[in-house]
CSV table of all heavy atoms in Angstrom, one decimal:
chain,number,residue,atom,x,y,z
A,1,LEU,N,91.6,295.5,55.5
A,1,LEU,CA,90.5,296.2,56.1
A,1,LEU,C,89.3,295.3,56.3
A,1,LEU,O,88.3,295.7,57.0
A,1,LEU,CB,90.2,297.4,55.3
A,1,LEU,CG,91.3,298.5,55.2
A,1,LEU,CD1,90.9,299.7,54.4
A,1,LEU,CD2,91.8,298.9,56.6
A,2,SER,N,89.2,294.2,55.7
A,2,SER,CA,88.1,293.3,55.8
A,2,SER,C,88.3,292.1,56.7
A,2,SER,O,87.6,291.1,56.7
A,2,SER,CB,87.6,292.8,54.4
A,2,SER,OG,88.6,292.1,53.8
A,3,SER,N,89.5,292.1,57.4
A,3,SER,CA,89.9,290.9,58.2
A,3,SER,C,88.8,290.6,59.2
A,3,SER,O,88.4,291.5,60.0
A,3,SER,CB,91.2,291.2,58.8
A,3,SER,OG,92.3,291.2,57.9
A,4,SER,N,88.4,289.4,59.2
A,4,SER,CA,87.5,288.9,60.3
A,4,SER,C,87.7,287.4,60.4
A,4,SER,O,88.1,286.7,59.4
A,4,SER,CB,86.1,289.2,60.0
A,4,SER,OG,85.6,288.6,58.8
A,5,LEU,N,87.4,286.9,61.6
A,5,LEU,CA,87.4,285.4,61.8
A,5,LEU,C,86.1,285.0,62.2
A,5,LEU,O,85.4,285.6,63.1
A,5,LEU,CB,88.5,285.2,62.9
A,5,LEU,CG,89.9,285.6,62.7
A,5,LEU,CD1,90.7,285.5,63.9
A,5,LEU,CD2,90.5,284.9,61.5
A,6,SER,N,85.6,283.9,61.6
A,6,SER,CA,84.3,283.4,61.9
A,6,SER,C,84.3,282.0,62.4
A,6,SER,O,85.0,281.1,61.8
A,6,SER,CB,83.4,283.5,60.7
A,6,SER,OG,83.2,284.8,60.2
A,7,PHE,N,83.6,281.7,63.5
A,7,PHE,CA,83.4,280.4,64.1
A,7,PHE,C,82.0,280.2,64.4
A,7,PHE,O,81.2,281.2,64.6
A,7,PHE,CB,84.3,280.2,65.3
A,7,PHE,CG,85.8,280.4,65.0
A,7,PHE,CD1,86.3,281.7,65.2
A,7,PHE,CD2,86.6,279.4,64.6
A,7,PHE,CE1,87.7,281.9,64.9
A,7,PHE,CE2,87.9,279.6,64.3
A,7,PHE,CZ,88.5,280.9,64.5
A,8,PRO,N,81.5,279.0,64.5
A,8,PRO,CA,80.1,278.8,64.9
A,8,PRO,C,79.7,279.6,66.2
A,8,PRO,O,80.2,279.3,67.2
A,8,PRO,CB,80.0,277.3,65.1
A,8,PRO,CG,81.0,276.7,64.2
A,8,PRO,CD,82.2,277.7,64.3
A,9,GLY,N,78.8,280.6,66.0
A,9,GLY,CA,78.4,281.3,67.1
A,9,GLY,C,79.3,282.5,67.6
A,9,GLY,O,79.0,283.2,68.5
A,10,LEU,N,80.4,282.6,66.9
A,10,LEU,CA,81.4,283.6,67.3
A,10,LEU,C,82.0,284.3,66.1
A,10,LEU,O,82.5,283.7,65.2
A,10,LEU,CB,82.5,283.0,68.1
A,10,LEU,CG,83.5,283.9,68.9
A,10,LEU,CD1,82.8,284.6,70.0
A,10,LEU,CD2,84.7,283.1,69.4
A,11,GLU,N,82.0,285.7,66.1
A,11,GLU,CA,82.6,286.5,65.1
A,11,GLU,C,83.7,287.4,65.7
A,11,GLU,O,83.4,288.1,66.7
A,11,GLU,CB,81.6,287.3,64.3
A,11,GLU,CG,80.5,286.5,63.6
A,11,GLU,CD,81.0,285.9,62.3
A,11,GLU,OE1,82.0,286.5,61.8
A,11,GLU,OE2,80.5,284.9,61.9
A,12,ILE,N,84.9,287.5,65.1
A,12,ILE,CA,85.9,288.3,65.6
A,12,ILE,C,86.3,289.3,64.4
A,12,ILE,O,86.8,288.9,63.4
A,12,ILE,CB,87.2,287.5,66.0
A,12,ILE,CG1,86.8,286.4,67.0
A,12,ILE,CG2,88.3,288.4,66.5
A,12,ILE,CD1,87.9,285.4,67.3
A,13,ASP,N,86.0,290.6,64.6
A,13,ASP,CA,86.3,291.6,63.6
A,13,ASP,C,87.7,292.2,64.0
A,13,ASP,O,87.8,293.0,65.0
A,13,ASP,CB,85.2,292.7,63.6
A,13,ASP,CG,85.3,293.6,62.5
A,13,ASP,OD1,86.5,294.0,62.1
A,13,ASP,OD2,84.3,294.0,61.9
A,14,LEU,N,88.7,291.9,63.2
A,14,LEU,CA,90.0,292.4,63.5
A,14,LEU,C,90.2,293.8,63.1
A,14,LEU,O,91.2,294.4,63.5
A,14,LEU,CB,91.0,291.5,62.7
A,14,LEU,CG,91.0,290.0,63.0
A,14,LEU,CD1,92.0,289.2,62.1
A,14,LEU,CD2,91.3,289.8,64.5
A,15,LYS,N,89.3,294.4,62.3
A,15,LYS,CA,89.4,295.8,61.9
A,15,LYS,C,88.9,296.7,63.0
A,15,LYS,O,89.5,297.7,63.4
A,15,LYS,CB,88.7,296.0,60.6
A,15,LYS,CG,88.6,297.5,60.2
A,15,LYS,CD,87.7,297.7,59.0
A,15,LYS,CE,87.4,299.2,58.7
A,15,LYS,NZ,86.5,299.4,57.6
A,16,ARG,N,87.7,296.3,63.5
A,16,ARG,CA,87.0,297.2,64.5
A,16,ARG,C,87.3,296.7,65.9
A,16,ARG,O,86.8,297.3,66.9
A,16,ARG,CB,85.5,297.1,64.2
A,16,ARG,CG,85.1,297.7,62.9
A,16,ARG,CD,83.6,297.6,62.6
A,16,ARG,NE,83.3,298.1,61.3
A,16,ARG,CZ,82.1,298.1,60.8
A,16,ARG,NH1,81.1,297.5,61.5
A,16,ARG,NH2,81.8,298.6,59.6
A,17,TYR,N,88.1,295.7,66.1
A,17,TYR,CA,88.4,295.2,67.5
A,17,TYR,C,87.1,294.9,68.2
A,17,TYR,O,86.8,295.3,69.3
A,17,TYR,CB,89.2,296.2,68.3
A,17,TYR,CG,90.5,296.4,67.7
A,17,TYR,CD1,90.8,297.6,66.9
A,17,TYR,CD2,91.6,295.6,67.9
A,17,TYR,CE1,92.0,297.8,66.3
A,17,TYR,CE2,92.8,295.8,67.3
A,17,TYR,CZ,93.0,296.9,66.5
A,17,TYR,OH,94.3,297.1,65.9
A,18,GLU,N,86.2,294.1,67.5
A,18,GLU,CA,84.9,293.7,68.1
A,18,GLU,C,84.7,292.2,68.0
A,18,GLU,O,85.2,291.6,67.1
A,18,GLU,CB,83.8,294.4,67.3
A,18,GLU,CG,83.7,295.9,67.5
A,18,GLU,CD,82.5,296.5,66.7
A,18,GLU,OE1,81.9,295.8,65.9
A,18,GLU,OE2,82.2,297.7,67.0
A,19,VAL,N,84.0,291.7,69.0
A,19,VAL,CA,83.7,290.3,69.1
A,19,VAL,C,82.2,290.2,69.3
A,19,VAL,O,81.6,290.9,70.2
A,19,VAL,CB,84.5,289.6,70.2
A,19,VAL,CG1,84.0,288.2,70.4
A,19,VAL,CG2,86.0,289.6,69.9
A,20,ARG,N,81.6,289.3,68.5
A,20,ARG,CA,80.1,289.1,68.7
A,20,ARG,C,79.9,287.6,68.9
A,20,ARG,O,80.4,286.8,68.2
A,20,ARG,CB,79.4,289.6,67.5
A,20,ARG,CG,79.4,291.1,67.3
A,20,ARG,CD,78.6,291.6,66.1
A,20,ARG,NE,78.7,293.0,66.0
A,20,ARG,CZ,78.0,293.9,66.6
A,20,ARG,NH1,77.0,293.5,67.4
A,20,ARG,NH2,78.2,295.2,66.4
A,21,ARG,N,79.1,287.3,69.9
A,21,ARG,CA,78.6,285.9,70.2
A,21,ARG,C,77.2,285.9,70.0
A,21,ARG,O,76.4,286.6,70.6
A,21,ARG,CB,79.0,285.5,71.7
A,21,ARG,CG,78.6,284.1,72.0
A,21,ARG,CD,79.2,283.6,73.3
A,21,ARG,NE,78.7,284.3,74.4
A,21,ARG,CZ,77.6,283.9,75.1
A,21,ARG,NH1,76.9,282.8,74.7
A,21,ARG,NH2,77.1,284.6,76.1
A,22,GLN,N,76.8,285.0,69.1
A,22,GLN,CA,75.4,284.9,68.7
A,22,GLN,C,74.8,286.3,68.3
A,22,GLN,O,73.7,286.7,68.7
A,22,GLN,CB,74.5,284.3,69.8
A,22,GLN,CG,75.0,282.9,70.2
A,22,GLN,CD,74.8,281.8,69.1
A,22,GLN,OE1,74.2,282.1,68.1
A,22,GLN,NE2,75.4,280.7,69.3
A,23,GLN,N,75.6,287.0,67.5
A,23,GLN,CA,75.3,288.3,67.0
A,23,GLN,C,75.3,289.4,68.0
A,23,GLN,O,75.0,290.6,67.7
A,23,GLN,CB,73.9,288.3,66.3
A,23,GLN,CG,73.8,287.2,65.2
A,23,GLN,CD,74.8,287.4,64.1
A,23,GLN,OE1,75.1,288.5,63.6
A,23,GLN,NE2,75.4,286.3,63.7
A,24,GLU,N,75.5,289.1,69.2
A,24,GLU,CA,75.5,290.2,70.3
A,24,GLU,C,77.0,290.6,70.6
A,24,GLU,O,77.9,289.7,70.8
A,24,GLU,CB,74.9,289.7,71.5
A,24,GLU,CG,73.4,289.5,71.4
A,24,GLU,CD,72.7,289.2,72.7
A,24,GLU,OE1,73.4,289.2,73.8
A,24,GLU,OE2,71.5,288.9,72.7
A,25,LEU,N,77.2,291.9,70.7
A,25,LEU,CA,78.5,292.4,71.0
A,25,LEU,C,79.0,292.0,72.3
A,25,LEU,O,78.2,292.2,73.3
A,25,LEU,CB,78.5,294.0,70.8
A,25,LEU,CG,79.8,294.7,70.9
A,25,LEU,CD1,80.7,294.3,69.7
A,25,LEU,CD2,79.6,296.2,71.0
A,26,VAL,N,80.2,291.5,72.4
A,26,VAL,CA,80.8,291.1,73.7
A,26,VAL,C,81.9,292.1,74.1
A,26,VAL,O,82.8,292.4,73.3
A,26,VAL,CB,81.5,289.7,73.6
A,26,VAL,CG1,82.1,289.3,74.9
A,26,VAL,CG2,80.5,288.7,73.1
A,27,PRO,N,81.7,292.8,75.2
A,27,PRO,CA,82.7,293.8,75.6
A,27,PRO,C,84.0,293.1,76.2
A,27,PRO,O,84.0,292.4,77.2
A,27,PRO,CB,82.0,294.6,76.8
A,27,PRO,CG,81.0,293.6,77.3
A,27,PRO,CD,80.6,292.7,76.2
A,28,LEU,N,85.1,293.3,75.4
A,28,LEU,CA,86.4,292.8,75.8
A,28,LEU,C,87.4,293.9,76.1
A,28,LEU,O,87.3,295.0,75.5
A,28,LEU,CB,87.0,291.9,74.7
A,28,LEU,CG,86.2,290.6,74.4
A,28,LEU,CD1,87.0,289.8,73.3
A,28,LEU,CD2,85.9,289.7,75.6
A,29,SER,N,88.3,293.7,77.0
A,29,SER,CA,89.4,294.6,77.2
A,29,SER,C,90.3,294.5,76.1
A,29,SER,O,90.3,293.5,75.3
A,29,SER,CB,90.1,294.4,78.6
A,29,SER,OG,90.8,293.1,78.5
A,30,ALA,N,91.2,295.5,75.9
A,30,ALA,CA,92.2,295.4,74.8
A,30,ALA,C,93.1,294.1,74.9
A,30,ALA,O,93.3,293.5,73.9
A,30,ALA,CB,93.1,296.6,74.9
A,31,LYS,N,93.5,293.8,76.1
A,31,LYS,CA,94.3,292.6,76.3
A,31,LYS,C,93.6,291.3,76.0
A,31,LYS,O,94.1,290.4,75.4
A,31,LYS,CB,94.9,292.6,77.7
A,31,LYS,CG,96.1,291.6,77.8
A,31,LYS,CD,97.2,292.0,76.9
A,31,LYS,CE,97.8,293.3,77.1
A,31,LYS,NZ,98.9,293.6,76.1
A,32,GLU,N,92.3,291.3,76.4
A,32,GLU,CA,91.5,290.1,76.1
A,32,GLU,C,91.3,289.9,74.6
A,32,GLU,O,91.4,288.8,74.1
A,32,GLU,CB,90.1,290.2,76.8
A,32,GLU,CG,90.2,290.1,78.3
A,32,GLU,CD,88.9,290.5,79.0
A,32,GLU,OE1,88.0,291.1,78.3
A,32,GLU,OE2,88.8,290.3,80.2
A,33,PHE,N,91.1,291.0,73.9
A,33,PHE,CA,90.9,290.9,72.5
A,33,PHE,C,92.2,290.4,71.8
A,33,PHE,O,92.2,289.6,70.9
A,33,PHE,CB,90.5,292.3,71.9
A,33,PHE,CG,90.2,292.2,70.4
A,33,PHE,CD1,89.0,291.9,69.9
A,33,PHE,CD2,91.2,292.5,69.5
A,33,PHE,CE1,88.7,291.8,68.6
A,33,PHE,CE2,91.0,292.4,68.1
A,33,PHE,CZ,89.7,292.1,67.7
A,34,GLU,N,93.3,291.0,72.2
A,34,GLU,CA,94.6,290.6,71.7
A,34,GLU,C,94.9,289.1,71.9
A,34,GLU,O,95.3,288.4,71.0
A,34,GLU,CB,95.7,291.4,72.2
A,34,GLU,CG,95.7,292.9,71.8
A,34,GLU,CD,96.6,293.8,72.7
A,34,GLU,OE1,97.4,293.2,73.4
A,34,GLU,OE2,96.4,295.0,72.6
A,35,LEU,N,94.6,288.6,73.1
A,35,LEU,CA,94.8,287.2,73.4
A,35,LEU,C,93.9,286.3,72.6
A,35,LEU,O,94.3,285.3,72.0
A,35,LEU,CB,94.5,287.0,74.9
A,35,LEU,CG,94.6,285.6,75.4
A,35,LEU,CD1,96.0,285.0,75.2
A,35,LEU,CD2,94.3,285.6,77.0
């Protein structure tokens, strides 16, 4: 439930299906997030 991936300037929350770039939420489609 705490799965997340962190890279410089980019956060990928695998639980909430959210991506943030420089702390700002990036709207992705389901397929874009999976890819």
Side-chain angles (χ1 to χ4, degrees):
L1 297 180
S2 63
S3 292
S4 64
L5 303 172
S6 297
F7 303 90
L10 191 69
E11 298 285 333
I12 304 170
D13 191 321
L14 300 175
K15 173 188 173 183
R16 298 178 179 176
Y17 297 98
E18 291 181 350
V19 173
R20 294 182 182 275
R21 183 167 68 87
Q22 302 296 348
Q23 306 302 316
E24 292 189 6
L25 187 65
V26 179
L28 298 183
S29 70
K31 196 59 63 181
E32 288 168 352
F33 184 88
E34 292 165 13
L35 178 57

